[in-house]
Amino acid sequence: MKPLRRHALLLLVTTILAVASLCPGCSKNPADTDDGQGAATVPVELSSAGMAKRSSGDLAFRYRDLRVSWGELESFLKDKGVIYRPAPIAQPNAPQSDEVKTNGLTTKEQKAAFFYLRGIIQQQALLAMAREAGTTVTEEDKLYFAKRWEEDNPGSKFDAYLSRFKAKPESRLDLSQDDMFLLLKFMDENLKNIKVPENELNDELSRVKLMRNALEDELAKSRKEFEQIPSMDGFQTDEGFKRLARELSDGIESDRGGVIDEPMTRQEIAECNDGQPFLCNVGESSGLIETETSLRYIRVLKEIPGVRAGEPERLEIAQILYAKREIEGLPSEEKIKKDLQNKHYNLWAIKAMSKSLYSNDFECPLFPNILTGWIDAK
């Protein structure tokens, strides 16, 4: 079995947890934001064929051999906390809220149900594709996925994640543990077949190279300007140094003249400077100190003796700081390739689900527009 790439595992976790996260109690309301699959806002049309006229036995959606009634779906959504019951009883002559109710559901609940149902349909399509492809999961696969999960999520246990799925769910709309592993294996098998067009990869590599060159040019220019600071008026006096810090420093302490709020030992100062010894005395300004992330000058304002015998003195210091832009933070060629592969996997998955849904008599009377803006039109 070839290794599951980290971004593939995280992508699947996003897919699997999409349904679990789309509930009114979550910090991010799916009804008001992009669901990750389409336009930021998708209208929930409650026509005469939709939720407004539903009764328990009416069809909510159908896909292949799976037929789900509104009663079954409603019960499932209530168990998940997507919709609330009972709804508040309207008082006679009371002002009507913007939260219009249809069959006792507020507009917000209707939208939550809309996006939650999208997640269910996505899972059902992926599972059908995995079974058609003959995907099978071995115990070795399960151990491998568990190991990768814990490697990619330090401090987290895979068993805790796995416990979110039941071995035998009460509802057929829930994802079982076996289903979850099946999707992991299916995505891994398909991801390794995704090829990124060479011209697209080269374009992205060129773009990042231009960014890197621009940052390196900026650093060279800033370094040259920063190296002129010691020749500026006031650099060798306390007040002059503080004035320059207020004018030129990137540090958060610049508004107070670059003065560090806590006195430091020479060892602590050295540790902040990648281990470079700090030898300046009171009334002295350092030369240019360079670390991986910054350029700086430091001035010693005051020496504070140790309280106990043998305790090192502490120094009150001020600094003029230039924070380097994160050239190292630009993506590597390997990460660029993985991100593009992830992008093309998403495109493949959307097209594959589109084909599966439209070729297997899919219908959703509850929300006739549920595929709008999500997958390719028929």
Side-chain angles (χ1 to χ4, degrees), residues 225-233 235 244 248 297 320:
E225 295 172 351
F226 206 74
E227 288 173 347
Q228 303 305 311
I229 291 178
S231 63
M232 294 181 180
D233 183 47
F235 182 76
L244 291 171
L248 304 172
Y297 297 103
I320 302 173

Side-chain angles (χ1 to χ4, degrees), residues 47-107:
S47 64
S48 59
M51 188 182 289
K53 300 295 183 181
R54 293 296 93 193
S55 62
S56 293
D58 287 339
L59 180 67
F61 78 93
R62 174 170 59 86
Y63 174 57
R64 294 178 177 250
D65 296 330
L66 179 65
R67 297 178 62 89
V68 179
S69 69
W70 165 235
E72 180 182 358
L73 180 62
E74 180 186 36
S75 177
F76 180 77
L77 295 178
K78 286 166 61 178
D79 289 343
K80 297 297 183 183
V82 178
I83 58 178
Y84 301 102
R85 288 298 177 90
I89 299 175
Q91 298 298 318
N93 304 319
Q96 292 299 309
S97 166
D98 290 337
E99 289 291 308
V100 180
K101 292 182 172 58
T102 303
N103 273 5
L105 300 183
T106 66
T107 301

Side-chain angles (χ1 to χ4, degrees), residues 57-350:
D58 287 339
L59 180 67
F61 78 93
R62 174 170 59 86
Y63 174 57
R64 294 178 177 250
D65 296 330
L66 179 65
R67 297 178 62 89
V68 179
S69 69
W70 165 235
E72 180 182 358
L73 180 62
E74 180 186 36
S75 177
F76 180 77
L77 295 178
K78 286 166 61 178
D79 289 343
K80 297 297 183 183
V82 178
I83 58 178
Y84 301 102
R85 288 298 177 90
I89 299 175
Q91 298 298 318
N93 304 319
Q96 292 299 309
S97 166
D98 290 337
E99 289 291 308
V100 180
K101 292 182 172 58
T102 303
N103 273 5
L105 300 183
T106 66
T107 301
K108 183 180 292 185
E109 289 170 334
Q110 293 165 34
K111 289 183 178 181
F114 178 90
F115 285 104
Y116 203 100
L117 183 53
R118 269 194 175 184
I120 294 173
I121 294 168
Q122 180 184 36
Q123 288 182 359
Q124 292 298 325
L126 286 170
L127 285 170
M129 290 158 57
R131 290 164 183 149
E132 276 190 349
T135 304
T136 57
V137 180
T138 67
E139 290 302 315
E140 180 185 4
D141 293 332
K142 293 180 180 181
L143 291 174
Y144 177 76
F145 292 135
K147 180 181 177 182
R148 285 306 305 269
W149 167 263
E150 294 183 357
E151 288 175 353
D152 294 339
N153 298 272
S156 299
K157 294 295 184 182
F158 182 75
D159 285 346
Y161 168 70
L162 188 61
S163 67
R164 302 181 68 167
F165 309 94
K166 295 181 180 180
K168 294 182 178 180
E170 295 176 4
S171 170
R172 57 182 178 160
L173 301 180
D174 255 332
L175 201 66
S176 71
Q177 292 182 4
D178 286 343
D179 289 341
M180 188 271 294
F181 279 116
L182 182 65
L183 291 180
L184 279 171
K185 183 68 175 292
F186 177 68
M187 292 183 71
D188 181 43
E189 289 178 339
N190 283 281
L191 186 70
K192 66 189 179 187
N193 295 323
I194 298 297
K195 304 298 181 185
V196 177
E198 188 173 347
N199 63 327
E200 185 176 358
L201 174 60
N202 290 335
D203 287 347
E204 186 63 15
L205 291 173
S206 297
R207 186 184 70 83
V208 173
K209 183 178 180 180
L210 287 173
M211 291 174 60
R212 185 180 300 277
N213 290 341
L215 288 174
E216 288 175 346
D217 290 345
E218 179 185 343
L219 177 58
K221 180 181 177 181
S222 298
R223 176 194 295 277
K224 188 173 182 179
E225 295 172 351
F226 206 74
E227 288 173 347
Q228 303 305 311
I229 291 178
S231 63
M232 294 181 180
D233 183 47
F235 182 76
Q236 293 296 346
T237 68
D238 289 354
E239 291 308 312
F241 191 96
K242 292 178 183 179
R243 173 178 56 78
L244 291 171
R246 280 190 287 269
E247 296 173 356
L248 304 172
S249 181
D250 290 338
I252 58 173
E253 66 289 323
S254 61
D255 59 347
R256 55 176 184 268
V259 179
I260 306 300
D261 54 3
E262 292 290 338
M264 303 173 69
T265 67
R266 293 183 183 276
Q267 178 62 32
E268 289 170 340
I269 297 172
E271 289 172 358
C272 291
N273 293 322
D274 293 348
Q276 301 174 60
F278 184 74
L279 305 176
C280 291
N281 296 312
V282 175
E284 294 180 347
S285 299
S286 73
L288 179 63
I289 301 172
E290 181 171 6
T291 68
E292 288 187 2
T293 59
S294 66
L295 303 173
R296 59 163 55 91
Y297 297 103
I298 297 176
R299 183 171 179 82
V300 181
L301 305 174
K302 185 188 299 184
E303 182 179 291
I304 303 172
V307 177
R308 289 180 286 274
E311 188 175 77
E313 73 276 5
R314 292 184 171 272
L315 305 178
E316 182 180 304
I317 60 174
Q319 71 170 354
I320 302 173
L321 175 75
Y322 170 75
K324 295 179 182 178
R325 297 290 181 90
E326 294 186 9
I327 296 177
E328 294 79 6
L330 292 175
S332 64
E333 182 173 343
E334 180 182 4
K335 186 176 188 305
I336 291 171
K337 289 179 179 178
K338 287 183 177 181
D339 288 346
L340 288 175
Q341 189 180 36
N342 186 15
K343 168 190 168 183
H344 282 276
Y345 176 85
N346 278 327
L347 293 173
W348 170 84
I350 293 294

